[in-house]
Amino acid sequence: MLRLLKEWTLPFAMLAGVVGHQIFSHLAFLTPYLIFTMLLLTFCSVSTSDLKLKPYHWWLLAIQITGSIIIYATIAPLNKIVAEATLICIMAPTATSAAVITHKLGGSAASVSLYTLLSNVCLAFAAPIVFPFIELHPDMGFWQACFIILRKVFPILILPFITVLFLRNFTPKIYGKLLSIQEFAFYLWAVALAVVSSQIFESLTNNPGNLIIKIIMGTTGLIACAIQFFIGKNIGSKYGDRISAGQALGQKNTILAIWMAQTYLNPLSSVGPGSYVLWQNLINSLQLWRKQHHKKDL
C-alpha cells in the first residue's frame, strides 16, 4: 500500500484535494510558500553554468505563443468559449513546479527552470497584446497587466535561486543539509497540488454554465495536454533533451492560466486550464511510474 501511494502520489494528492476541498481550500495562502520551498530544494542541484538557452527553447516558445493564436483562430468560428479555453491551455507558461518533476524524471532542472522564466516573461508581454482582440477589457491597461503577471511569477522563480546562491557561497553547511533532503521537494508539490485541486473543484462546481460546453472544454484540455507533451518530447529528442523539453511545453502554470482566463477572457473558459491540472498530473504520474520501474520514458 505504501509503495502504491508513493508511485501515484500526484493522483492521490488531487483526490485528497477534491474530497477534502473544504479543508484544503482554506490553505490556499500556503501555495506561494510551498512553491518557493520546493524550488529552493530543487535549485540546490542546479549549477549556474547549466543555465544556458538552447535552440529548442525558441521552438517551444513559438508553439506557446504563435501556435495558441493559430488554434484559437481555427476553433473560434465553431465555438468562441472553447477556442478561448484551448488558447489559454497552449499559451500558458511553464509551471514553476516543472523543474521538480523534471529532476525527478532525470531531466535537466536547469534547462526547464530557464525556460520557465523565459516563457513567463514572454507571456507577460504577449497576453496584454493578444487578449484585447478576443475580449475587450478597457479597465486594464497593457503595463498594468504586465506588472500583475510579472509580480505573480518573478518572486516565486527568482528568489529561490538567489537564496540558493547565497547559501551555497556563505553558509555551505545549511546548503548541504538542503541538498540532502532534495527529494522532499516532490512531496511539497503534492501538498500544493492538493490545495490547487481543491480550489479548482470549488471553482468548477460554483461556476454556472452549459454542462456540454464544460465537457468539451475538458476534452480539448486533454487533447492540448497530450499533444504538447508529445511535441515537446519530439523536439527535445532532436537536441538530446527529451524529458526537459516535454515537461517545459506540457506542464503548465495552470493557476496563472485560470487567473488569466477569468481576468481577460470569458470566465467560463477557465474550465479548460482547470481540467488541464488533472491531465498533466496524470501524465506526470504515469511517467514517474515508468521511471521507477526502469522503463523507457514516454
Side-chain angles (χ1 to χ4, degrees):
M1 182 63 180
L2 185 62
R3 181 180 177 182
L4 180 65
L5 286 170
K6 187 175 181 180
E7 291 180 348
W8 296 96
T9 301
L10 301 185
F12 280 120
M14 288 187 290
L15 180 61
V18 171
V19 174
H21 65 94
Q22 293 181 330
I23 297 174
F24 282 105
S25 61
H26 293 295
L27 302 177
F29 70 95
L30 291 175
T31 302
Y33 303 102
L34 290 169
I35 294 175
F36 177 93
T37 306
M38 68 188 187
L39 285 180
L40 180 71
L41 294 173
T42 302
F43 287 162
C44 282
S45 63
V46 173
S47 171
T48 52
S49 61
D50 295 331
L51 294 173
K52 297 177 181 178
L53 283 171
K54 299 182 179 180
Y56 74 78
H57 285 154
W58 303 112
W59 286 108
L60 301 186
L61 194 62
I63 293 170
Q64 178 187 327
I65 304 299
T66 308
S68 61
I69 296 172
I70 294 173
I71 292 297
Y72 171 80
T74 303
I75 300 177
L78 302 176
N79 189 290
K80 192 170 185 288
I81 297 178
V82 174
E84 291 180 7
T86 310
L87 167 88
I88 207 68
C89 284
I90 299 172
M91 184 178 281
T94 306
T96 50
S97 60
V100 178
I101 304 297
T102 301
H103 177 74
K104 191 83 172 173
L105 291 170
S108 171
S111 177
V112 173
S113 298
L114 186 58
Y115 182 75
T116 300
L117 181 60
L118 176 66
S119 65
N120 277 275
V121 170
C122 288
L123 179 78
F125 288 95
I129 295 173
V130 174
F131 290 169
F133 289 99
I134 299 173
E135 298 281 351
L136 290 176
H137 284 273
D139 57 322
M140 184 176 294
F142 174 79
W143 291 112
Q144 181 186 3
C146 288
F147 176 74
I148 291 173
I149 296 174
L150 291 174
R151 188 182 64 186
K152 284 176 173 285
V153 172
F154 263 54
I156 295 178
L157 279 176
I158 299 299
L159 289 182
F161 186 69
I162 293 175
T163 304
V164 166
L165 291 179
F166 176 84
L167 295 176
R168 185 181 293 168
N169 289 287
F170 298 102
T171 58
K173 288 186 178 180
I174 297 177
Y175 170 75
K177 289 186 179 297
L178 291 176
L179 191 61
S180 67
I181 59 169
Q182 206 173 21
E183 285 293 311
F184 192 56
F186 176 70
Y187 298 101
L188 286 176
W189 168 234
V191 176
L193 180 59
V195 174
V196 170
S197 298
S198 69
Q199 293 177 279
I200 293 171
F201 176 77
E202 290 196 343
S203 175
L204 291 177
T205 53
N206 296 330
N207 192 353
N210 188 298
L211 179 60
I212 299 299
I213 295 298
K214 287 184 176 181
I215 293 174
I216 293 174
M217 284 190 286
T219 303
T220 57
L222 169 60
I223 295 171
C225 183
I227 289 177
Q228 286 183 99
F229 270 102
F230 176 79
I231 292 176
K233 286 178 179 294
N234 278 275
I235 291 175
S237 293
K238 299 182 184 300
Y239 296 94
D241 210 352
R242 178 178 172 83
I243 294 174
S244 304
Q247 295 305 124
L249 187 62
Q251 193 169 340
K252 298 293 187 178
N253 188 338
T254 48
I255 296 299
L256 183 60
I258 291 169
W259 172 80
M260 287 192 300
Q262 293 177 340
T263 303
Y264 286 106
L265 308 175
N266 187 310
L268 185 58
S269 67
S270 63
V271 173
S275 72
Y276 202 101
V277 177
L278 170 64
W279 309 130
Q280 73 176 6
N281 283 289
L282 286 177
I283 290 175
N284 282 336
S285 297
L286 179 58
Q287 292 180 122
L288 289 167
W289 180 84
R290 296 187 69 174
K291 174 71 175 178
Q292 290 164 358
H293 286 74
H294 307 291
K295 292 186 177 181
K296 185 180 179 181
D297 177 54
L298 288 175

